[in-house]
Each structure stands twice: as structure tokens, then as C-alpha cells.
């Protein structure tokens, strides 16, 4: 079986790692096409190096642009790429503009399309990611759902016939990296104090960064924490703070560049808590048993909230210290699987190829 993966943004490189290893282990051919949506070294190359993924077969180098322009540039180049490689499956990941562009390109030329992380919904139509994932699910031939809740969303939309629940591939890579960093701690960036309590924070979503008042409120909230906050600043956050004349370093905040994946796992494992608007990080905090505050009105990963380890606080009204000082019961459930989702996703693609 020949699978062509399309990736472009940081969380997709993380999901690509277990899929690549599972495809190779099963003796399949894997072609990797990088759209170039993310291009800074610490947003892209470092993930390939740390997670043992080979260099992409192609990098389309589209770079940053407004949604329409960026998606259109990818769409045009991806069509040519699919025609060159004629894979058995185009595999797309998550909900970024790279995901949507690849989905449209594939179905237009009747190319078989599988969507990994299908069925997640925030029901927030202001989020660009919500459109990307809904449109991709309706285009795809095979929907690889991470959870039962995701499969229920797909069933509600009439898509249960194409759905297979495989578990969450980020759990695979999170657990294996956790084990690695527990054996041998990664070198942390300059200025990272290994002693003492701290909170890890990331804020990058358009709805939080692109309005000056909202961003100012979130920064003031972080700055007021009595536990020191280590803010891992995404390029969008840096650019927007500069544009609005806002200081990232204020109060109890210290600023770091984005971390590599092993560094991030190490940081979260040893943190008192996480404050984030990232989908991936709230789930990783749950898997690593670190309490989390999510600065959004809703989450796609509802299990983290119902099992008590994640609290939604879009308006920044809860005190960080109070939330983190609560007592947390270790859940016995494993809503995201046991770390074998990638192998199950590969099997689902093999079976769907045979049967249809
Ligand atoms: C994208 C995804 C989002 C995902 C996030 C992970 C979409 C619509 N959004 O958001 O779902 O959670 O990736 O990080 O696809 N930039 C750089 N260097 C880079 C990449 C980006 O400086 O390597 C800057 C540019 O100013 C760019 C901005 O960040 O305009 C935003 O990048 P973009 O890829 O458009 O969206 P993200 O916010 O990263």
C-alpha cells in the first residue's frame, strides 16, 4: 500500500511520527508532502529530527498568507503532487488549512482520502479549524476517529458508514516521548530553571491573539499568577503582541521560544499546571496528569473536562493558583486509547482498500 501524508503545521508533524513508524513497520510505502505552512526551524524541522521522521519527499514552501490565498496556493500544488505520486491513500491530519487544501485537491481528482482525527467538533463556527474539519470529514472516504464522542458526531452528520474508531495518535507519541524523557531529561533552553514551581502556557489561537483587548486581558491574567508562568511564544503571538504594543514579559511571566516535543513533554510533566488554548496541549496535560486551564469557551477534547483535569475559562475569571491547588483524582478511564492508535489507523486503511 502506498500512502501519501500531507502535513504543514506543527501539531501535524507530531501526529505524523507514529503513523510513519506504523506504516514502515507494516511494510508500506510512505510519501510525505510538507505544504510549508510552518517553516521556522522550531515550528517544523526540529520535530522531524526529534521524532525520527525522514525529511519530507516534497516541500511546497507555501509559507504564511491570509486563509484564502494560503489554502489556494496549497490546493494547486497538491493536485500536481498527487498526480505525480498516485498513492492508494492521501492521508490528512487534523484541521489546519493544509488539511482542507489536501482534501479538496484529492477528491477533485477522485483520489482516495483518509482523515486522521476525524469527528472532532467545537461547534464554534468562528474558528477556522471548525470549517476545515467539517469540510474534510464530509469529503473523506475513510474517517479515522480518535474517540467514541468523535464517532458520535460523525454519526449525527450521517457519516457513520465511513467511520472507524482507532484511538488518538497523539497519545501514542505522548506516551513514548514521556517514557524517553523520564529515562533521560532533554537539555532545556537557556534560562529554564529546573527547580521550583511553574506553569507552562501557550496562547496562539486567532480568536485569542488577533484582538488587542482580548490579548491584553489574557496577558494580564497570566501576569497575575502567583506561580511563575513560562510562556512558550508562538510566532503569531509574538507578532500580534508587537503589533498591538503589548509586552509579553510582564508580572510573573517569562517568555521562551516554542519548545521541541521532548522538551515540552518534560516541561509539562514537571509543571504545576498548564494554561493554554492549544487542543493538543490540553490533552497532553491530561495524559501526563497535569491540571489544565483552557482559555476557550469550548473544547473538542471534552473528556479532559468531564474527567476533571481541564477547566474552560475563556474570560479568565478563575484564579490560576486556586485551580491548580485543587486535589485531582487519577482517572481510571482511557478515553484516548492506550497508545496503539497509529497501528490501528494503518490496519483500517489496509482493510478499506481491500473492501472498497
Ligand atoms: C495553524 C493552524 C492551527 C494550529 C496551529 C499550530 C490553520 C487555520 N491554523 O495556526 O489550527 O493550531 O497552526 O501552530 O491552519 N508564522 C511564523 N513562522 C512559522 C509559521 C507561522 O512566523 O513557521 C507566523 C506568521 O506570521 C503567520 C502566523 O504565524 O502568519 C500564523 O501562522 P498560520 O500557519 O497561518 O496559523 P497558526 O496560527 O500557526
Amino acid at each position: 500500500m502506498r500512502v501519501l501524508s500531507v502535513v504543514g503545521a506543527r501539531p501535524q508533524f507530531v501526529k505524523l511520527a507514529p503513523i510513519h513508524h506504523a506504516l514502515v513497520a507494516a511494510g508500506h510505502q510512505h510519501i510525505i508532502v510538507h505544504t510549508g505552512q510552518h517553516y521556522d526551524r522550531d515550528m517544523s524541522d526540529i520535530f522531524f529530527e526529534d521524532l525520527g521522521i525522514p525529511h519530507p519527499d516534497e516541500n511546497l514552501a507555501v509559507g504564511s498568507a491570509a486563509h484564502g490565498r494560503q489554502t489556494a496556493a496549497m490546493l494547486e500544488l497538491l493536485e500536481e503532487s498527487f498526480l505525480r505520486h498516485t498513492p492508494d491513500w492521501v492521508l490528512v491530519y487534523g484541521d489546519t488549512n493544509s488539511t482542507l487544501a489536501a482534501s479538496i485537491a484529492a477528491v477533485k481528482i477522485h483520489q482516495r482520502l483518509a482523515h486522521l482525527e476525524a469527528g472532532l467538533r467545537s461547534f464554534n463556527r468562528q474558528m477556522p479549524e471548525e470549517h476545515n474539519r467539517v469540510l474534510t470529514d464530509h469529503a473523506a472516504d475513510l474517517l479515522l476517529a480518535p474517540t467514541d464522542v468523535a464517532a458520535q458526531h460523525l454519526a449525527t452528520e450521517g457519516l457513520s458508514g465511513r467511520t472507524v474508531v482507532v484511538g488518538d495518535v497523539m497519545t501514542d507519541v505522548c506516551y513514548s516521548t514521556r517514557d524517553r524523557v523520564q529515562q533521560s531529561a532533554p537539555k532545556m533552553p537557556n534560562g529554564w530553571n529546573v527547580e521550583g514551581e511553574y506553569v507552562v502556557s501557550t496562547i496562539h489561537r486567532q480568536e485569542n491573539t488577533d484582538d488587542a483587548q482580548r490579548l491584553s486581558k489574557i496577558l494580564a491574567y497570566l501576569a497575575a499568577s502567583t506561580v511563575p508562568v513560562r510562556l512558550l511564544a508562538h510566532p503569531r503571538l509574538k507578532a500580534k503582541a508587537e503589533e498591538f504594543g503589548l509586552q509579553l514579559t510582564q508580572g510573573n511571566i517569562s517568555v521562551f521560544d516554542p519548545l521541541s516535543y521532548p522538551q515540552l513533554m518534560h516541561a509539562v510533566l514537571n509543571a504545576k499546571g498548564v494554561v493554554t488554548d492549544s487542543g493538543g496541549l490540553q490533552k497532553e496535560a491530561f495524559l501526563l496528569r497535569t491540571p489544565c486551564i483552557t482559555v476557550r469557551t469550548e473544547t473538542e477534547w471534552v473528556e479532559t473536562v468531564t474527567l476533571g483535569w481541564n477547566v474552560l475559562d475563556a474570560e479568565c475569571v478563575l484564579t490560576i493558583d486556586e485551580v491548580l491547588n485543587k486535589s485531582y483524582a487519577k482517572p481510571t478511564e482511557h478515553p484516548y486509547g492506550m497508545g496503539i492508535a497509529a497501528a490501528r489507523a494503518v490496519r483500517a486503511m489496509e482493510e478499506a482498500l481491500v473492501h472498497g
Side-chain angles (χ1 to χ4, degrees), residues 89-163:
W89 287 105
V90 168
L91 178 60
V92 294
Y93 299 68
D95 54 21
T96 72
N97 289 345
S98 299
T99 315
L100 178 63
S103 303
I104 299 171
V107 296
K108 287 284 180 193
I109 54 170
H110 310 298
Q111 177 66 66
R112 219 177 274 106
L113 177 69
H115 183 204
L116 189 78
E117 223 178 57
L120 294 182
R121 297 290 181 266
S122 67
F123 302 103
N124 177 353
R125 289 174 54 80
Q126 297 300 310
M127 283 176 72
E129 293 82 1
E130 185 72 356
H131 303 292
N132 289 345
R133 54 171 90 99
V134 170
L135 292 166
T136 297
D137 282 337
H138 284 260
D141 302 287
L142 177 61
L143 300 170
L144 302 165
T147 61
D148 293 334
V149 170
Q152 279 157 22
H153 293 149
L154 294 168
T156 305
E157 294 172 29
L159 299 173
S160 56
R162 303 183 222 161
T163 302

